[in-house]
Amino acid sequence: MLMHSSLAVTLTGTPLGLTAAKFWTRTKFKGTLALKRHINPTRVPIETKESYRWLENLRQSIALVGAPERCVHVGDRESDIYELHCTAQDLGTSFLVRVQANRLAERPADAAPHDPAHRVFAQLAAAPCAGRHRIAVDQDETTWLQVKFAAINTLPPVGKQKRYSPQVLTYIHALEENPPPGREPIDWKLVTNLPVEDLSVAVEKLGWNALRWKAEVFHKVMKSGCRAKEARLETAERLAKFLALIAVVSWRIFFVTMSARAKPDAAPDSVLTFAEITALDRIDASERDRASNGPRSPLTCCKSPCLAAISPATMIRLPATWSSGAA
């Protein structure tokens, strides 16, 4: 069973909760790799593909939030789907995804007949450099990126040009200037339907793309902290219900973690209701009564993740353990 989820975060990275989640198995799509040898996948309707889940989650997220104009849907290369670009435009919402496909583009009027400028990457490469931006690679390393952007009239795939219209999309390219030996240079290509007028706006979009890592942390909490892969339930229905439950638990753990880091001295009622605090106090008191060898170690506390919100002192220590996957 597979799960495709959408996590809502603020511009500062605070996880607000799940806006969509889809469970499925690959029985329906069994044999699609062999099918690609005989059929051009760009000519197959998106509704028959497994990747249709990206469009489903986009629609479900908008329906839940209720304000499509306030949403920016951020995705990795797998979400670089022309149908998703068109769907977002039709629904009045925005997207920002990593580029995977070197799509067809409207040929410039002054281009020669055999000029490769009919492709997006060629036109993006010809755009002037807008400036430089410095980023932190890790705690001890920073590097400079050359940033350029261009609005390009992007054409749909050849097999789908009767169904979809051209889209004017903005492409952003950030390339590392002097990568150290032994490491591939940072090379980010993004596409969005939002306007980009100057370097500061392009850099802002790079920051939004970095927030995509929050979804990876959320899934890490599910897999390592809540041990989703260790579940041994007998039916797919039970497994789906279990995953739905721990998805909410994982988000709450993630939220408490981020809240503790932002405001380590905040009161427990800033993240928990009175009923939740009361229940946790009773659980904690009961476990302490049963303990015979002194107070529990922080590692033992991690087995009851919500206990980290009982006191501010505990909130400072334990969530860092969960986010590293040690719980």
Side-chain angles (χ1 to χ4, degrees), residues 292-322:
S292 58
N293 298 321
R296 296 166 297 163
S297 66
L299 181 61
T300 306
C301 287
C302 287
K303 294 180 180 178
S304 300
C306 290
L307 294 178
I310 290 179
S311 66
T314 312
M315 288 177 66
I316 298 173
R317 182 175 65 254
L318 296 185
T321 307
W322 305 328

mmCIF file of all heavy atoms in Angstrom, residues 292-322:
data_model
loop_
_atom_site.group_PDB
_atom_site.id
_atom_site.type_symbol
_atom_site.label_atom_id
_atom_site.label_comp_id
_atom_site.label_asym_id
_atom_site.label_seq_id
_atom_site.Cartn_x
_atom_site.Cartn_y
_atom_site.Cartn_z
ATOM 1 N N SER A 292 9.980 1.864 39.183
ATOM 2 C CA SER A 292 10.656 1.453 40.418
ATOM 3 C C SER A 292 12.136 1.777 40.432
ATOM 4 O O SER A 292 12.810 1.603 41.450
ATOM 5 C CB SER A 292 10.500 -0.061 40.626
ATOM 6 O OG SER A 292 11.026 -0.764 39.516
ATOM 7 N N ASN A 293 12.658 2.224 39.292
ATOM 8 C CA ASN A 293 14.093 2.489 39.195
ATOM 9 C C ASN A 293 14.387 3.956 38.928
ATOM 10 O O ASN A 293 15.272 4.302 38.154
ATOM 11 C CB ASN A 293 14.730 1.647 38.078
ATOM 12 C CG ASN A 293 14.598 0.168 38.363
ATOM 13 O OD1 ASN A 293 14.733 -0.265 39.508
ATOM 14 N ND2 ASN A 293 14.303 -0.606 37.328
ATOM 15 N N GLY A 294 13.637 4.852 39.552
ATOM 16 C CA GLY A 294 13.902 6.263 39.371
ATOM 17 C C GLY A 294 13.199 6.808 38.147
ATOM 18 O O GLY A 294 12.420 6.108 37.497
ATOM 19 N N PRO A 295 13.479 8.056 37.817
ATOM 20 C CA PRO A 295 12.815 8.687 36.665
ATOM 21 C C PRO A 295 13.220 8.041 35.365
ATOM 22 O O PRO A 295 14.309 7.478 35.237
ATOM 23 C CB PRO A 295 13.293 10.150 36.744
ATOM 24 C CG PRO A 295 14.587 10.072 37.487
ATOM 25 C CD PRO A 295 14.430 8.950 38.476
ATOM 26 N N ARG A 296 12.321 8.118 34.385
ATOM 27 C CA ARG A 296 12.596 7.543 33.081
ATOM 28 C C ARG A 296 13.644 8.353 32.347
ATOM 29 O O ARG A 296 13.785 9.546 32.534
ATOM 30 C CB ARG A 296 11.320 7.519 32.238
ATOM 31 C CG ARG A 296 10.236 6.633 32.793
ATOM 32 C CD ARG A 296 8.928 6.934 32.094
ATOM 33 N NE ARG A 296 8.527 8.318 32.373
ATOM 34 C CZ ARG A 296 7.616 8.962 31.654
ATOM 35 N NH1 ARG A 296 7.073 8.385 30.617
ATOM 36 N NH2 ARG A 296 7.287 10.208 31.963
ATOM 37 N N SER A 297 14.377 7.685 31.480
ATOM 38 C CA SER A 297 15.363 8.371 30.645
ATOM 39 C C SER A 297 14.648 9.052 29.494
ATOM 40 O O SER A 297 13.525 8.703 29.147
ATOM 41 C CB SER A 297 16.375 7.366 30.079
ATOM 42 O OG SER A 297 15.722 6.484 29.189
ATOM 43 N N PRO A 298 15.291 10.069 28.835
ATOM 44 C CA PRO A 298 14.656 10.717 27.677
ATOM 45 C C PRO A 298 14.302 9.741 26.569
ATOM 46 O O PRO A 298 13.300 9.901 25.899
ATOM 47 C CB PRO A 298 15.719 11.728 27.225
ATOM 48 C CG PRO A 298 16.517 12.010 28.465
ATOM 49 C CD PRO A 298 16.538 10.713 29.217
ATOM 50 N N LEU A 299 15.103 8.684 26.372
ATOM 51 C CA LEU A 299 14.813 7.731 25.306
ATOM 52 C C LEU A 299 13.513 7.000 25.590
ATOM 53 O O LEU A 299 12.708 6.757 24.707
ATOM 54 C CB LEU A 299 15.969 6.734 25.166
ATOM 55 C CG LEU A 299 15.809 5.687 24.058
ATOM 56 C CD1 LEU A 299 15.707 6.393 22.709
ATOM 57 C CD2 LEU A 299 16.980 4.716 24.053
ATOM 58 N N THR A 300 13.260 6.647 26.880
ATOM 59 C CA THR A 300 12.017 5.990 27.234
ATOM 60 C C THR A 300 10.840 6.935 27.050
ATOM 61 O O THR A 300 9.777 6.543 26.609
ATOM 62 C CB THR A 300 12.077 5.499 28.698
ATOM 63 O OG1 THR A 300 13.226 4.684 28.869
ATOM 64 C CG2 THR A 300 10.832 4.710 29.049
ATOM 65 N N CYS A 301 11.057 8.215 27.343
ATOM 66 C CA CYS A 301 9.981 9.188 27.171
ATOM 67 C C CYS A 301 9.533 9.259 25.720
ATOM 68 O O CYS A 301 8.370 9.498 25.454
ATOM 69 C CB CYS A 301 10.453 10.575 27.628
ATOM 70 S SG CYS A 301 10.591 10.742 29.424
ATOM 71 N N CYS A 302 10.466 9.048 24.802
ATOM 72 C CA CYS A 302 10.128 9.158 23.389
ATOM 73 C C CYS A 302 9.112 8.115 22.959
ATOM 74 O O CYS A 302 8.482 8.263 21.933
ATOM 75 C CB CYS A 302 11.397 9.040 22.525
ATOM 76 S SG CYS A 302 12.434 10.506 22.609
ATOM 77 N N LYS A 303 8.973 7.036 23.724
ATOM 78 C CA LYS A 303 8.002 6.012 23.354
ATOM 79 C C LYS A 303 6.575 6.514 23.547
ATOM 80 O O LYS A 303 5.639 5.946 23.028
ATOM 81 C CB LYS A 303 8.243 4.743 24.176
ATOM 82 C CG LYS A 303 9.582 4.079 23.862
ATOM 83 C CD LYS A 303 9.776 2.832 24.697
ATOM 84 C CE LYS A 303 11.117 2.167 24.379
ATOM 85 N NZ LYS A 303 11.350 0.975 25.201
ATOM 86 N N SER A 304 6.403 7.570 24.335
ATOM 87 C CA SER A 304 5.110 8.216 24.489
ATOM 88 C C SER A 304 5.254 9.649 24.002
ATOM 89 O O SER A 304 5.479 10.558 24.793
ATOM 90 C CB SER A 304 4.665 8.185 25.959
ATOM 91 O OG SER A 304 4.558 6.852 26.412
ATOM 92 N N PRO A 305 5.213 9.858 22.676
ATOM 93 C CA PRO A 305 5.605 11.146 22.103
ATOM 94 C C PRO A 305 4.876 12.338 22.686
ATOM 95 O O PRO A 305 5.478 13.376 22.909
ATOM 96 C CB PRO A 305 5.289 10.977 20.614
ATOM 97 C CG PRO A 305 5.288 9.504 20.389
ATOM 98 C CD PRO A 305 4.788 8.907 21.655
ATOM 99 N N CYS A 306 3.571 12.209 22.955
ATOM 100 C CA CYS A 306 2.817 13.374 23.389
ATOM 101 C C CYS A 306 3.234 13.859 24.767
ATOM 102 O O CYS A 306 2.921 14.975 25.160
ATOM 103 C CB CYS A 306 1.323 13.067 23.392
ATOM 104 S SG CYS A 306 0.631 12.885 21.724
ATOM 105 N N LEU A 307 3.926 13.039 25.525
ATOM 106 C CA LEU A 307 4.361 13.457 26.850
ATOM 107 C C LEU A 307 5.345 14.606 26.776
ATOM 108 O O LEU A 307 5.598 15.271 27.778
ATOM 109 C CB LEU A 307 5.004 12.287 27.606
ATOM 110 C CG LEU A 307 4.059 11.139 27.956
ATOM 111 C CD1 LEU A 307 4.829 10.037 28.660
ATOM 112 C CD2 LEU A 307 2.947 11.630 28.871
ATOM 113 N N ALA A 308 5.917 14.828 25.621
ATOM 114 C CA ALA A 308 6.887 15.913 25.486
ATOM 115 C C ALA A 308 6.243 17.274 25.678
ATOM 116 O O ALA A 308 6.937 18.258 25.851
ATOM 117 C CB ALA A 308 7.555 15.855 24.127
ATOM 118 N N ALA A 309 4.928 17.354 25.633
ATOM 119 C CA ALA A 309 4.274 18.646 25.778
ATOM 120 C C ALA A 309 3.795 18.909 27.197
ATOM 121 O O ALA A 309 3.160 19.911 27.464
ATOM 122 C CB ALA A 309 3.076 18.720 24.827
ATOM 123 N N ILE A 310 4.129 18.028 28.136
ATOM 124 C CA ILE A 310 3.643 18.205 29.500
ATOM 125 C C ILE A 310 4.272 19.418 30.155
ATOM 126 O O ILE A 310 3.614 20.205 30.805
ATOM 127 C CB ILE A 310 3.921 16.933 30.331
ATOM 128 C CG1 ILE A 310 3.010 15.807 29.831
ATOM 129 C CG2 ILE A 310 3.686 17.189 31.804
ATOM 130 C CD1 ILE A 310 3.199 14.514 30.539
ATOM 131 N N SER A 311 5.571 19.573 29.985
ATOM 132 C CA SER A 311 6.244 20.696 30.611
ATOM 133 C C SER A 311 7.194 21.333 29.610
ATOM 134 O O SER A 311 7.739 20.659 28.750
ATOM 135 C CB SER A 311 7.032 20.228 31.839
ATOM 136 O OG SER A 311 8.090 19.377 31.457
ATOM 137 N N PRO A 312 7.424 22.644 29.744
ATOM 138 C CA PRO A 312 8.356 23.304 28.820
ATOM 139 C C PRO A 312 9.746 22.693 28.842
ATOM 140 O O PRO A 312 10.407 22.612 27.820
ATOM 141 C CB PRO A 312 8.360 24.749 29.321
ATOM 142 C CG PRO A 312 7.046 24.923 30.006
ATOM 143 C CD PRO A 312 6.753 23.584 30.625
ATOM 144 N N ALA A 313 10.184 22.237 29.993
ATOM 145 C CA ALA A 313 11.530 21.664 30.065
ATOM 146 C C ALA A 313 11.643 20.415 29.201
ATOM 147 O O ALA A 313 12.644 20.191 28.525
ATOM 148 C CB ALA A 313 11.876 21.331 31.514
ATOM 149 N N THR A 314 10.597 19.593 29.212
ATOM 150 C CA THR A 314 10.616 18.397 28.387
ATOM 151 C C THR A 314 10.510 18.745 26.913
ATOM 152 O O THR A 314 11.123 18.112 26.073
ATOM 153 C CB THR A 314 9.448 17.467 28.776
ATOM 154 O OG1 THR A 314 9.433 17.334 30.190
ATOM 155 C CG2 THR A 314 9.599 16.117 28.135
ATOM 156 N N MET A 315 9.749 19.770 26.601
ATOM 157 C CA MET A 315 9.565 20.157 25.206
ATOM 158 C C MET A 315 10.875 20.554 24.553
ATOM 159 O O MET A 315 11.067 20.359 23.375
ATOM 160 C CB MET A 315 8.580 21.322 25.109
ATOM 161 C CG MET A 315 7.137 20.934 25.387
ATOM 162 S SD MET A 315 6.038 22.343 25.334
ATOM 163 C CE MET A 315 6.150 22.785 23.641
ATOM 164 N N ILE A 316 11.793 21.082 25.323
ATOM 165 C CA ILE A 316 13.061 21.512 24.743
ATOM 166 C C ILE A 316 13.891 20.322 24.322
ATOM 167 O O ILE A 316 14.562 20.337 23.308
ATOM 168 C CB ILE A 316 13.856 22.358 25.770
ATOM 169 C CG1 ILE A 316 13.078 23.623 26.130
ATOM 170 C CG2 ILE A 316 15.223 22.736 25.227
ATOM 171 C CD1 ILE A 316 13.697 24.414 27.255
ATOM 172 N N ARG A 317 13.818 19.225 25.075
ATOM 173 C CA ARG A 317 14.743 18.146 24.865
ATOM 174 C C ARG A 317 14.255 17.097 23.891
ATOM 175 O O ARG A 317 14.966 16.705 22.980
ATOM 176 C CB ARG A 317 15.045 17.489 26.215
ATOM 177 C CG ARG A 317 16.055 16.367 26.128
ATOM 178 C CD ARG A 317 16.434 15.809 27.491
ATOM 179 N NE ARG A 317 15.310 15.168 28.152
ATOM 180 C CZ ARG A 317 14.653 15.674 29.175
ATOM 181 N NH1 ARG A 317 14.985 16.871 29.643
ATOM 182 N NH2 ARG A 317 13.650 15.040 29.742
ATOM 183 N N LEU A 318 13.031 16.625 24.070
ATOM 184 C CA LEU A 318 12.635 15.419 23.360
ATOM 185 C C LEU A 318 12.310 15.586 21.876
ATOM 186 O O LEU A 318 12.678 14.727 21.103
ATOM 187 C CB LEU A 318 11.437 14.789 24.069
ATOM 188 C CG LEU A 318 11.726 14.298 25.486
ATOM 189 C CD1 LEU A 318 10.500 13.589 26.022
ATOM 190 C CD2 LEU A 318 12.922 13.380 25.506
ATOM 191 N N PRO A 319 11.654 16.653 21.446
ATOM 192 C CA PRO A 319 11.286 16.700 20.022
ATOM 193 C C PRO A 319 12.460 16.598 19.083
ATOM 194 O O PRO A 319 12.347 16.062 17.995
ATOM 195 C CB PRO A 319 10.598 18.076 19.903
ATOM 196 C CG PRO A 319 10.027 18.326 21.245
ATOM 197 C CD PRO A 319 11.061 17.768 22.183
ATOM 198 N N ALA A 320 13.643 17.077 19.489
ATOM 199 C CA ALA A 320 14.809 16.947 18.622
ATOM 200 C C ALA A 320 15.126 15.486 18.353
ATOM 201 O O ALA A 320 15.594 15.116 17.285
ATOM 202 C CB ALA A 320 16.005 17.640 19.257
ATOM 203 N N THR A 321 14.841 14.622 19.343
ATOM 204 C CA THR A 321 15.074 13.202 19.144
ATOM 205 C C THR A 321 14.121 12.633 18.096
ATOM 206 O O THR A 321 14.500 11.835 17.267
ATOM 207 C CB THR A 321 14.878 12.445 20.479
ATOM 208 O OG1 THR A 321 15.703 13.074 21.469
ATOM 209 C CG2 THR A 321 15.277 10.995 20.346
ATOM 210 N N TRP A 322 12.864 13.063 18.128
ATOM 211 C CA TRP A 322 11.912 12.547 17.145
ATOM 212 C C TRP A 322 12.281 12.979 15.751
ATOM 213 O O TRP A 322 12.254 12.198 14.828
ATOM 214 C CB TRP A 322 10.504 13.039 17.457
ATOM 215 C CG TRP A 322 10.023 12.753 18.819
ATOM 216 C CD1 TRP A 322 10.365 11.667 19.577
ATOM 217 C CD2 TRP A 322 9.178 13.550 19.618
ATOM 218 N NE1 TRP A 322 9.749 11.755 20.791
ATOM 219 C CE2 TRP A 322 9.008 12.878 20.844
ATOM 220 C CE3 TRP A 322 8.517 14.757 19.408
ATOM 221 C CZ2 TRP A 322 8.217 13.409 21.864
ATOM 222 C CZ3 TRP A 322 7.736 15.256 20.411
ATOM 223 C CH2 TRP A 322 7.593 14.590 21.618
#
